[in-house]
Amino acid sequence: MAKLRTIRGACRNGLTVILFLAVTLAAEAAVWTIRDHLIASAQETETEAIRVEARAKALALRETLSRTLDQIAALQSVAGLVTKARRSGDTDMEKLARGELGVRRGIMTSTITAIVNVTPDFHVDWSNLDLSRLPAWFGDREYLRPIAAGTATEVTGDPLVGYSSHLLVIPFAKGVYDPNGVLAGVTIVTVDAAAFHSLASTMGVTGHDTLTIFRRDGKVMARSDGEGIGETIPRDNALLRAVLDNDQSLTRTISPIDGVERIDASERLGNSGLSLAVGLDLHARLGRLEPELDRIRQDALESMVLIGLLGGGALLVWDWRRRAAAATAGMAAIRKSEALFRQLAEGMPDLTRLLDRNGIVLYASPAVRDLLGVAPEDLVGMPTGRFVHPDDVERIGQNELLRQPDLRQTTSEVRLRHADGRIIRVQTRLGRIGPADRPPGVPAIVSSSRDVTEERQAEEALRHATEELDAVLHAASGALFRSNLDSAGNTRILFVSDSVETITGFAAAEVMATPNWLRIRRDPSCEESVIENAARLRAEGCSTVHYRIRHKNENWIWIEMFSRSLGKGRGAVGYLRDVTLERERELQVAWVSQLATVGELTTGMAHELNQPLAAISMVAQNAMAVLDADDISQAGLNRKLQRIVKQVERAASIIEHMRVFGRRETELPASIAVGTAIDGAKAIAQAGLHQAGVRLIIRVEPGLPPVVGQLVPLQQVLINLIGHAVGSAREHTPRLAEQRRRIELDARLDGDKVVIRVADHAGGIAESAIPRLFERFFTIRPAGPGTGLGLSVSHEIIAAMDGVLTVWNEADGAVFEIRLPCAPPDRD
């Protein structure tokens, strides 16, 4: 029996030891889990703070760099005025523009290294520097070639060493164009890449933090640490992918340049094709937490050792002092847990507080000094709403916890009044400790608070910027959009600004919710323009087109739509605006010019009609005389009647041409035969040619393809050019010799263009007048019935047909040339 009791006691002791070991190990595992959670929470909080800091610095740098780019654009515009003034010989304008250029460059003295203008063949024209310090030819600069080739109007070149400064510079090149759109030169503004170093340091971007400026192709233009300039960021880099997809982004990447892991906040710099990225060294910043994390690890280790020691001691004396040992162990664990909590709380950057169920502060961490400017002891014993803005008292988080006993944790955001009077915004996370009915004075709630003032200010600034952009679009009667093709081939508007409602009557949400919205509202007769627009968008990457669409009120309106492709499969972005009034004004001006032309032709047309009428009268009288004489011959009478019919047909043809020409054109563009337009213009202008004694010689190449436009406006252009040539021949002093009183009208095919030339032999046009010849109300004719609209309206009509109208002098006269694109084959 005694042996049985001994065995039973040994088993009981063994079970007790096993149970105690299990409890000890479970307690140590719980401490280890708490330690890991605290470390992860601290690292996540610090990482979020790094993200906020990176975003704020990126926003601030974007504003500064955008102003710098605006100043560069202003310098290029003023430099363009200098080039245009030099080309036109306007020395006063050149002097004024150079003065303005000096003022603007003075503002950016520490940034701009040189301003140079080169001719279209890359020879240096002028510069703000001593020309002896520059080479005479810039043809080795590859970034100039896209502008010379016409594939770009402005380019940001790769970083390079400046000819004069011998510094690493970033070149910004922009084309300068004459009134006819012909390249007159290229303005180059070079910016010291090192200027961005000081800019970065003023924003607190130091050490392994970086400010990087790069193009959309990944080429690094400038970097605050001077490394990697001119290198290309790989296409698969997370930062570059994010910049290509978004105007701004936050990414965590390892730099391909120096291998440092950073939090990168990126911003696009407007329409410049450049982006900036502020990269904050993640390892260095997380390293600041190491002392606190080491304390957490040390405290956890000490707690685990203490738990082990307590368990071992309890096992040694458990059978004679179990309750006392258990009580001692419990009190020690509580004290140790409280000490651990205080050590953790005092090492955290956020304010940590313990509250009782009435919201009275029992403990406040030292972080309260940074957050509110008061000492921890000043907060203990005070209600938690002591520093809360009066309007936010009801939003305090513990109120919600106390009202809902089943709620374990919550988050709130309120305004607090700092000790210095400032109002700050604070986000607080609160969690319940134990049951809801804990007595007063016992911790019931733990809270962690952090300052989110700067974060909210950045969000507010972004909201204001968005509202300002939308207001600008409303004022400009324009709307931005982004579209894409879905898997079913339908065009979807992914985004459109609210200003679209001002233009079309449809709210932005309606437009985005309707697949193929533009196709549904568009005039079906514009379908060919749609096909041309899509082809141009694929070939050139951008396109501008005019459509007629139906407003929500069912009225027709005209819109101008500019689109730019984002690449294969990524859709397009663009801008549309209402041009109904502009189009109506242009039609009114053309109608006025057309009526003026009809008025000028009236006298000659009356003379042209008098001839067949006189012939009809004479033949009729002759026929009547034959009838009176009873000398009737059926064949002779038939000949006389045929002569009358022929003259009637001649008069009817003249009247029909005038009727067609005199109507107001309302038809949409279509395929028109150039020969038909020339025949109609000849018929209408014939009377004026006869009166002036001028011959019109017409040569039309057989098989000439059609062009796209409207018949009457093209006839109006030809009549205006023939009329100008007739006027030059009539007004020439002395009177022109007979062989020079002729006008030659040729039409032929040149590549994919139809070329129409109208040449006279009347001595030509004064060279000083040619640059202004297509301005409205400018005329070289003496005072008289002319309106000064004919040539300007002709220039606008040809431009609307995607063509070009030019003029120059040859040996003994002026030549007007029209170049029009051939109609696509599917228009035939």
Side-chain angles (χ1 to χ4, degrees), residues 366-405:
V368 71
R369 290 190 174 91
D370 296 329
L371 188 67
L372 295 175
V374 298
E377 55 270 20
D378 294 335
L379 205 61
V380 174
M382 302 291 292
T384 187
R386 170 69 177 79
F387 293 91
V388 177
H389 192 284
D391 295 340
D392 292 353
V393 170
E394 291 301 320
R395 296 166 55 192
I396 298 176
Q398 73 263 14
N399 295 336
E400 189 175 359
L401 278 178
L402 295 174
R403 285 194 298 265
Q404 303 180 45

mmCIF file of all heavy atoms in Angstrom, residues 366-405:
data_model
loop_
_atom_site.group_PDB
_atom_site.id
_atom_site.type_symbol
_atom_site.label_atom_id
_atom_site.label_comp_id
_atom_site.label_asym_id
_atom_site.label_seq_id
_atom_site.Cartn_x
_atom_site.Cartn_y
_atom_site.Cartn_z
ATOM 1 N N PRO A 366 6.298 60.012 -22.655
ATOM 2 C CA PRO A 366 7.012 61.284 -22.878
ATOM 3 C C PRO A 366 6.736 61.929 -24.236
ATOM 4 O O PRO A 366 7.008 63.111 -24.417
ATOM 5 C CB PRO A 366 8.486 60.877 -22.735
ATOM 6 C CG PRO A 366 8.476 59.652 -21.885
ATOM 7 C CD PRO A 366 7.222 58.925 -22.258
ATOM 8 N N ALA A 367 6.225 61.160 -25.204
ATOM 9 C CA ALA A 367 5.954 61.735 -26.532
ATOM 10 C C ALA A 367 4.941 62.868 -26.474
ATOM 11 O O ALA A 367 4.797 63.608 -27.455
ATOM 12 C CB ALA A 367 5.454 60.641 -27.481
ATOM 13 N N VAL A 368 4.244 63.034 -25.328
ATOM 14 C CA VAL A 368 3.268 64.121 -25.205
ATOM 15 C C VAL A 368 3.954 65.483 -25.295
ATOM 16 O O VAL A 368 3.339 66.477 -25.691
ATOM 17 C CB VAL A 368 2.477 63.979 -23.886
ATOM 18 C CG1 VAL A 368 3.369 64.313 -22.687
ATOM 19 C CG2 VAL A 368 1.251 64.889 -23.899
ATOM 20 N N ARG A 369 5.248 65.551 -24.948
ATOM 21 C CA ARG A 369 5.959 66.829 -25.052
ATOM 22 C C ARG A 369 6.031 67.302 -26.502
ATOM 23 O O ARG A 369 5.841 68.479 -26.794
ATOM 24 C CB ARG A 369 7.371 66.677 -24.474
ATOM 25 C CG ARG A 369 7.417 66.510 -22.957
ATOM 26 C CD ARG A 369 8.856 66.604 -22.444
ATOM 27 N NE ARG A 369 8.927 66.584 -20.995
ATOM 28 C CZ ARG A 369 9.056 65.482 -20.281
ATOM 29 N NH1 ARG A 369 9.138 64.294 -20.904
ATOM 30 N NH2 ARG A 369 9.096 65.536 -18.963
ATOM 31 N N ASP A 370 6.358 66.367 -27.427
ATOM 32 C CA ASP A 370 6.427 66.743 -28.844
ATOM 33 C C ASP A 370 5.049 66.985 -29.439
ATOM 34 O O ASP A 370 4.867 67.874 -30.282
ATOM 35 C CB ASP A 370 7.145 65.645 -29.650
ATOM 36 C CG ASP A 370 8.593 65.481 -29.237
ATOM 37 O OD1 ASP A 370 9.199 66.501 -28.825
ATOM 38 O OD2 ASP A 370 9.117 64.360 -29.329
ATOM 39 N N LEU A 371 4.058 66.205 -28.988
ATOM 40 C CA LEU A 371 2.739 66.294 -29.607
ATOM 41 C C LEU A 371 1.964 67.528 -29.128
ATOM 42 O O LEU A 371 1.403 68.269 -29.948
ATOM 43 C CB LEU A 371 1.940 65.024 -29.312
ATOM 44 C CG LEU A 371 0.613 64.888 -30.061
ATOM 45 C CD1 LEU A 371 0.866 64.715 -31.551
ATOM 46 C CD2 LEU A 371 -0.193 63.715 -29.525
ATOM 47 N N LEU A 372 1.944 67.761 -27.811
ATOM 48 C CA LEU A 372 1.110 68.838 -27.266
ATOM 49 C C LEU A 372 1.902 69.930 -26.550
ATOM 50 O O LEU A 372 1.331 70.957 -26.176
ATOM 51 C CB LEU A 372 0.089 68.260 -26.280
ATOM 52 C CG LEU A 372 -0.971 67.317 -26.891
ATOM 53 C CD1 LEU A 372 -1.839 66.730 -25.797
ATOM 54 C CD2 LEU A 372 -1.823 68.083 -27.891
ATOM 55 N N GLY A 373 3.218 69.706 -26.352
ATOM 56 C CA GLY A 373 4.032 70.732 -25.691
ATOM 57 C C GLY A 373 3.834 70.785 -24.193
ATOM 58 O O GLY A 373 4.097 71.827 -23.578
ATOM 59 N N VAL A 374 3.384 69.695 -23.542
ATOM 60 C CA VAL A 374 3.211 69.649 -22.084
ATOM 61 C C VAL A 374 3.952 68.440 -21.538
ATOM 62 O O VAL A 374 4.292 67.508 -22.280
ATOM 63 C CB VAL A 374 1.719 69.576 -21.692
ATOM 64 C CG1 VAL A 374 0.972 70.820 -22.170
ATOM 65 C CG2 VAL A 374 1.066 68.313 -22.266
ATOM 66 N N ALA A 375 4.184 68.415 -20.214
ATOM 67 C CA ALA A 375 4.874 67.298 -19.577
ATOM 68 C C ALA A 375 3.886 66.171 -19.315
ATOM 69 O O ALA A 375 2.679 66.415 -19.154
ATOM 70 C CB ALA A 375 5.519 67.750 -18.265
ATOM 71 N N PRO A 376 4.346 64.900 -19.246
ATOM 72 C CA PRO A 376 3.435 63.774 -18.998
ATOM 73 C C PRO A 376 2.655 63.939 -17.695
ATOM 74 O O PRO A 376 1.456 63.633 -17.649
ATOM 75 C CB PRO A 376 4.365 62.561 -18.959
ATOM 76 C CG PRO A 376 5.565 62.960 -19.764
ATOM 77 C CD PRO A 376 5.725 64.426 -19.532
ATOM 78 N N GLU A 377 3.337 64.435 -16.646
ATOM 79 C CA GLU A 377 2.653 64.564 -15.368
ATOM 80 C C GLU A 377 1.524 65.597 -15.406
ATOM 81 O O GLU A 377 0.589 65.550 -14.586
ATOM 82 C CB GLU A 377 3.647 64.916 -14.261
ATOM 83 C CG GLU A 377 4.484 66.169 -14.529
ATOM 84 C CD GLU A 377 5.774 65.851 -15.263
ATOM 85 O OE1 GLU A 377 5.857 64.759 -15.891
ATOM 86 O OE2 GLU A 377 6.705 66.676 -15.179
ATOM 87 N N ASP A 378 1.624 66.562 -16.359
ATOM 88 C CA ASP A 378 0.553 67.555 -16.485
ATOM 89 C C ASP A 378 -0.716 66.945 -17.091
ATOM 90 O O ASP A 378 -1.810 67.507 -16.941
ATOM 91 C CB ASP A 378 1.010 68.719 -17.366
ATOM 92 C CG ASP A 378 2.138 69.519 -16.730
ATOM 93 O OD1 ASP A 378 2.229 69.479 -15.476
ATOM 94 O OD2 ASP A 378 2.921 70.142 -17.471
ATOM 95 N N LEU A 379 -0.569 65.810 -17.786
ATOM 96 C CA LEU A 379 -1.714 65.167 -18.427
ATOM 97 C C LEU A 379 -2.375 64.155 -17.498
ATOM 98 O O LEU A 379 -3.586 63.927 -17.592
ATOM 99 C CB LEU A 379 -1.257 64.474 -19.718
ATOM 100 C CG LEU A 379 -2.317 64.267 -20.805
ATOM 101 C CD1 LEU A 379 -2.863 65.595 -21.278
ATOM 102 C CD2 LEU A 379 -1.708 63.501 -21.974
ATOM 103 N N VAL A 380 -1.599 63.525 -16.598
ATOM 104 C CA VAL A 380 -2.136 62.505 -15.691
ATOM 105 C C VAL A 380 -3.168 63.129 -14.764
ATOM 106 O O VAL A 380 -2.959 64.205 -14.187
ATOM 107 C CB VAL A 380 -0.999 61.839 -14.888
ATOM 108 C CG1 VAL A 380 -1.568 60.881 -13.844
ATOM 109 C CG2 VAL A 380 -0.055 61.099 -15.822
ATOM 110 N N GLY A 381 -4.303 62.429 -14.619
ATOM 111 C CA GLY A 381 -5.388 62.926 -13.773
ATOM 112 C C GLY A 381 -6.359 63.839 -14.503
ATOM 113 O O GLY A 381 -7.406 64.193 -13.944
ATOM 114 N N MET A 382 -6.044 64.218 -15.747
ATOM 115 C CA MET A 382 -6.916 65.101 -16.520
ATOM 116 C C MET A 382 -7.840 64.249 -17.404
ATOM 117 O O MET A 382 -7.487 63.148 -17.804
ATOM 118 C CB MET A 382 -6.087 66.034 -17.403
ATOM 119 C CG MET A 382 -5.097 66.900 -16.636
ATOM 120 S SD MET A 382 -5.945 68.135 -15.631
ATOM 121 C CE MET A 382 -6.625 69.163 -16.909
ATOM 122 N N PRO A 383 -9.037 64.764 -17.723
ATOM 123 C CA PRO A 383 -9.895 64.045 -18.685
ATOM 124 C C PRO A 383 -9.247 64.063 -20.074
ATOM 125 O O PRO A 383 -8.544 65.011 -20.432
ATOM 126 C CB PRO A 383 -11.207 64.839 -18.653
ATOM 127 C CG PRO A 383 -10.820 66.187 -18.143
ATOM 128 C CD PRO A 383 -9.669 65.983 -17.203
ATOM 129 N N THR A 384 -9.496 63.035 -20.853
ATOM 130 C CA THR A 384 -8.838 62.918 -22.154
ATOM 131 C C THR A 384 -9.229 64.023 -23.121
ATOM 132 O O THR A 384 -8.517 64.313 -24.070
ATOM 133 C CB THR A 384 -9.156 61.550 -22.785
ATOM 134 O OG1 THR A 384 -8.377 61.390 -23.955
ATOM 135 C CG2 THR A 384 -10.621 61.446 -23.178
ATOM 136 N N GLY A 385 -10.379 64.670 -22.898
ATOM 137 C CA GLY A 385 -10.813 65.745 -23.805
ATOM 138 C C GLY A 385 -10.272 67.106 -23.420
ATOM 139 O O GLY A 385 -10.711 68.122 -23.993
ATOM 140 N N ARG A 386 -9.291 67.167 -22.528
ATOM 141 C CA ARG A 386 -8.768 68.453 -22.026
ATOM 142 C C ARG A 386 -8.243 69.332 -23.155
ATOM 143 O O ARG A 386 -8.467 70.538 -23.168
ATOM 144 C CB ARG A 386 -7.654 68.166 -21.013
ATOM 145 C CG ARG A 386 -6.847 69.367 -20.575
ATOM 146 C CD ARG A 386 -7.680 70.323 -19.713
ATOM 147 N NE ARG A 386 -6.883 71.425 -19.238
ATOM 148 C CZ ARG A 386 -6.542 72.500 -19.948
ATOM 149 N NH1 ARG A 386 -6.970 72.616 -21.197
ATOM 150 N NH2 ARG A 386 -5.807 73.455 -19.429
ATOM 151 N N PHE A 387 -7.541 68.764 -24.151
ATOM 152 C CA PHE A 387 -6.937 69.554 -25.212
ATOM 153 C C PHE A 387 -7.705 69.457 -26.545
ATOM 154 O O PHE A 387 -7.253 69.972 -27.559
ATOM 155 C CB PHE A 387 -5.484 69.119 -25.447
ATOM 156 C CG PHE A 387 -4.567 69.430 -24.298
ATOM 157 C CD1 PHE A 387 -4.360 68.509 -23.287
ATOM 158 C CD2 PHE A 387 -3.932 70.662 -24.223
ATOM 159 C CE1 PHE A 387 -3.522 68.804 -22.223
ATOM 160 C CE2 PHE A 387 -3.086 70.949 -23.172
ATOM 161 C CZ PHE A 387 -2.879 70.028 -22.157
ATOM 162 N N VAL A 388 -8.853 68.777 -26.543
ATOM 163 C CA VAL A 388 -9.606 68.573 -27.781
ATOM 164 C C VAL A 388 -10.370 69.836 -28.157
ATOM 165 O O VAL A 388 -10.915 70.542 -27.291
ATOM 166 C CB VAL A 388 -10.580 67.378 -27.624
ATOM 167 C CG1 VAL A 388 -11.437 67.205 -28.888
ATOM 168 C CG2 VAL A 388 -9.805 66.104 -27.341
ATOM 169 N N HIS A 389 -10.406 70.132 -29.472
ATOM 170 C CA HIS A 389 -11.183 71.271 -29.974
ATOM 171 C C HIS A 389 -12.649 71.074 -29.588
ATOM 172 O O HIS A 389 -13.197 69.964 -29.707
ATOM 173 C CB HIS A 389 -11.049 71.340 -31.501
ATOM 174 C CG HIS A 389 -11.559 72.597 -32.105
ATOM 175 N ND1 HIS A 389 -12.904 72.855 -32.264
ATOM 176 C CD2 HIS A 389 -10.910 73.696 -32.600
ATOM 177 C CE1 HIS A 389 -13.074 74.027 -32.825
ATOM 178 N NE2 HIS A 389 -11.878 74.571 -33.036
ATOM 179 N N PRO A 390 -13.341 72.136 -29.133
ATOM 180 C CA PRO A 390 -14.730 71.972 -28.663
ATOM 181 C C PRO A 390 -15.650 71.308 -29.690
ATOM 182 O O PRO A 390 -16.555 70.557 -29.307
ATOM 183 C CB PRO A 390 -15.162 73.413 -28.372
ATOM 184 C CG PRO A 390 -13.893 74.151 -28.090
ATOM 185 C CD PRO A 390 -12.860 73.518 -28.957
ATOM 186 N N ASP A 391 -15.430 71.570 -30.957
ATOM 187 C CA ASP A 391 -16.323 71.003 -31.987
ATOM 188 C C ASP A 391 -16.084 69.525 -32.217
ATOM 189 O O ASP A 391 -16.900 68.860 -32.882
ATOM 190 C CB ASP A 391 -16.137 71.747 -33.324
ATOM 191 C CG ASP A 391 -16.575 73.194 -33.235
ATOM 192 O OD1 ASP A 391 -17.354 73.514 -32.302
ATOM 193 O OD2 ASP A 391 -16.151 74.003 -34.090
ATOM 194 N N ASP A 392 -14.974 68.971 -31.680
ATOM 195 C CA ASP A 392 -14.644 67.565 -31.921
ATOM 196 C C ASP A 392 -14.807 66.687 -30.690
ATOM 197 O O ASP A 392 -14.453 65.497 -30.734
ATOM 198 C CB ASP A 392 -13.190 67.449 -32.430
ATOM 199 C CG ASP A 392 -13.014 68.049 -33.811
ATOM 200 O OD1 ASP A 392 -14.026 68.428 -34.414
ATOM 201 O OD2 ASP A 392 -11.858 68.133 -34.279
ATOM 202 N N VAL A 393 -15.341 67.224 -29.599
ATOM 203 C CA VAL A 393 -15.425 66.451 -28.348
ATOM 204 C C VAL A 393 -16.243 65.179 -28.531
ATOM 205 O O VAL A 393 -15.893 64.111 -28.023
ATOM 206 C CB VAL A 393 -16.021 67.333 -27.222
ATOM 207 C CG1 VAL A 393 -16.335 66.489 -25.987
ATOM 208 C CG2 VAL A 393 -15.040 68.445 -26.850
ATOM 209 N N GLU A 394 -17.346 65.282 -29.298
ATOM 210 C CA GLU A 394 -18.212 64.114 -29.476
ATOM 211 C C GLU A 394 -17.565 63.020 -30.314
ATOM 212 O O GLU A 394 -18.061 61.906 -30.382
ATOM 213 C CB GLU A 394 -19.534 64.541 -30.115
ATOM 214 C CG GLU A 394 -20.426 65.371 -29.222
ATOM 215 C CD GLU A 394 -20.801 64.623 -27.947
ATOM 216 O OE1 GLU A 394 -21.055 63.402 -28.044
ATOM 217 O OE2 GLU A 394 -20.805 65.230 -26.864
ATOM 218 N N ARG A 395 -16.465 63.347 -30.969
ATOM 219 C CA ARG A 395 -15.819 62.375 -31.840
ATOM 220 C C ARG A 395 -14.674 61.640 -31.148
ATOM 221 O O ARG A 395 -13.950 60.874 -31.797
ATOM 222 C CB ARG A 395 -15.295 63.071 -33.102
ATOM 223 C CG ARG A 395 -16.403 63.671 -33.959
ATOM 224 C CD ARG A 395 -15.870 64.630 -34.996
ATOM 225 N NE ARG A 395 -14.857 64.003 -35.831
ATOM 226 C CZ ARG A 395 -14.071 64.679 -36.667
ATOM 227 N NH1 ARG A 395 -14.186 65.999 -36.751
ATOM 228 N NH2 ARG A 395 -13.177 64.046 -37.411
ATOM 229 N N ILE A 396 -14.469 61.870 -29.829
ATOM 230 C CA ILE A 396 -13.386 61.207 -29.109
ATOM 231 C C ILE A 396 -13.642 59.707 -29.098
ATOM 232 O O ILE A 396 -14.762 59.246 -28.851
ATOM 233 C CB ILE A 396 -13.281 61.751 -27.667
ATOM 234 C CG1 ILE A 396 -12.942 63.246 -27.698
ATOM 235 C CG2 ILE A 396 -12.230 60.989 -26.877
ATOM 236 C CD1 ILE A 396 -12.921 63.884 -26.338
ATOM 237 N N GLY A 397 -12.591 58.925 -29.376
ATOM 238 C CA GLY A 397 -12.743 57.494 -29.598
ATOM 239 C C GLY A 397 -13.264 56.726 -28.397
ATOM 240 O O GLY A 397 -14.053 55.785 -28.560
ATOM 241 N N GLN A 398 -12.872 57.114 -27.148
ATOM 242 C CA GLN A 398 -13.296 56.302 -26.016
ATOM 243 C C GLN A 398 -14.799 56.394 -25.772
ATOM 244 O O GLN A 398 -15.407 55.512 -25.174
ATOM 245 C CB GLN A 398 -12.532 56.654 -24.738
ATOM 246 C CG GLN A 398 -12.919 57.977 -24.110
ATOM 247 C CD GLN A 398 -11.955 59.069 -24.532
ATOM 248 O OE1 GLN A 398 -11.191 58.864 -25.466
ATOM 249 N NE2 GLN A 398 -11.989 60.193 -23.869
ATOM 250 N N ASN A 399 -15.430 57.484 -26.257
ATOM 251 C CA ASN A 399 -16.884 57.587 -26.117
ATOM 252 C C ASN A 399 -17.568 56.428 -26.831
ATOM 253 O O ASN A 399 -18.532 55.842 -26.335
ATOM 254 C CB ASN A 399 -17.383 58.918 -26.685
ATOM 255 C CG ASN A 399 -16.861 60.101 -25.892
ATOM 256 O OD1 ASN A 399 -16.514 59.955 -24.713
ATOM 257 N ND2 ASN A 399 -16.801 61.269 -26.521
ATOM 258 N N GLU A 400 -17.082 56.106 -28.035
ATOM 259 C CA GLU A 400 -17.656 55.007 -28.801
ATOM 260 C C GLU A 400 -17.394 53.673 -28.118
ATOM 261 O O GLU A 400 -18.262 52.802 -28.070
ATOM 262 C CB GLU A 400 -17.058 55.005 -30.215
ATOM 263 C CG GLU A 400 -17.729 54.046 -31.161
ATOM 264 C CD GLU A 400 -17.190 54.171 -32.575
ATOM 265 O OE1 GLU A 400 -16.298 55.025 -32.792
ATOM 266 O OE2 GLU A 400 -17.646 53.414 -33.444
ATOM 267 N N LEU A 401 -16.184 53.481 -27.553
ATOM 268 C CA LEU A 401 -15.880 52.240 -26.843
ATOM 269 C C LEU A 401 -16.794 52.050 -25.638
ATOM 270 O O LEU A 401 -17.259 50.948 -25.361
ATOM 271 C CB LEU A 401 -14.420 52.246 -26.383
ATOM 272 C CG LEU A 401 -13.346 51.852 -27.420
ATOM 273 C CD1 LEU A 401 -11.965 51.961 -26.804
ATOM 274 C CD2 LEU A 401 -13.582 50.460 -27.949
ATOM 275 N N LEU A 402 -17.061 53.164 -24.917
ATOM 276 C CA LEU A 402 -17.881 53.075 -23.715
ATOM 277 C C LEU A 402 -19.354 52.843 -24.055
ATOM 278 O O LEU A 402 -20.071 52.185 -23.306
ATOM 279 C CB LEU A 402 -17.730 54.346 -22.879
ATOM 280 C CG LEU A 402 -16.321 54.575 -22.297
ATOM 281 C CD1 LEU A 402 -16.237 55.934 -21.618
ATOM 282 C CD2 LEU A 402 -15.966 53.459 -21.300
ATOM 283 N N ARG A 403 -19.816 53.384 -25.208
ATOM 284 C CA ARG A 403 -21.208 53.214 -25.597
ATOM 285 C C ARG A 403 -21.486 51.798 -26.118
ATOM 286 O O ARG A 403 -22.622 51.339 -26.093
ATOM 287 C CB ARG A 403 -21.597 54.233 -26.662
ATOM 288 C CG ARG A 403 -21.807 55.643 -26.135
ATOM 289 C CD ARG A 403 -22.507 56.511 -27.160
ATOM 290 N NE ARG A 403 -21.706 56.660 -28.373
ATOM 291 C CZ ARG A 403 -20.887 57.684 -28.613
ATOM 292 N NH1 ARG A 403 -20.777 58.651 -27.712
ATOM 293 N NH2 ARG A 403 -20.204 57.751 -29.721
ATOM 294 N N GLN A 404 -20.444 51.115 -26.658
ATOM 295 C CA GLN A 404 -20.626 49.795 -27.255
ATOM 296 C C GLN A 404 -19.737 48.785 -26.517
ATOM 297 O O GLN A 404 -18.557 48.619 -26.851
ATOM 298 C CB GLN A 404 -20.264 49.824 -28.737
ATOM 299 C CG GLN A 404 -21.065 50.851 -29.536
ATOM 300 C CD GLN A 404 -20.676 50.841 -31.004
ATOM 301 O OE1 GLN A 404 -20.542 49.779 -31.614
ATOM 302 N NE2 GLN A 404 -20.535 52.032 -31.571
ATOM 303 N N PRO A 405 -20.277 48.097 -25.505
ATOM 304 C CA PRO A 405 -19.456 47.163 -24.698
ATOM 305 C C PRO A 405 -18.800 46.062 -25.513
ATOM 306 O O PRO A 405 -17.759 45.551 -25.126
ATOM 307 C CB PRO A 405 -20.479 46.582 -23.693
ATOM 308 C CG PRO A 405 -21.589 47.588 -23.654
ATOM 309 C CD PRO A 405 -21.669 48.190 -25.026
#
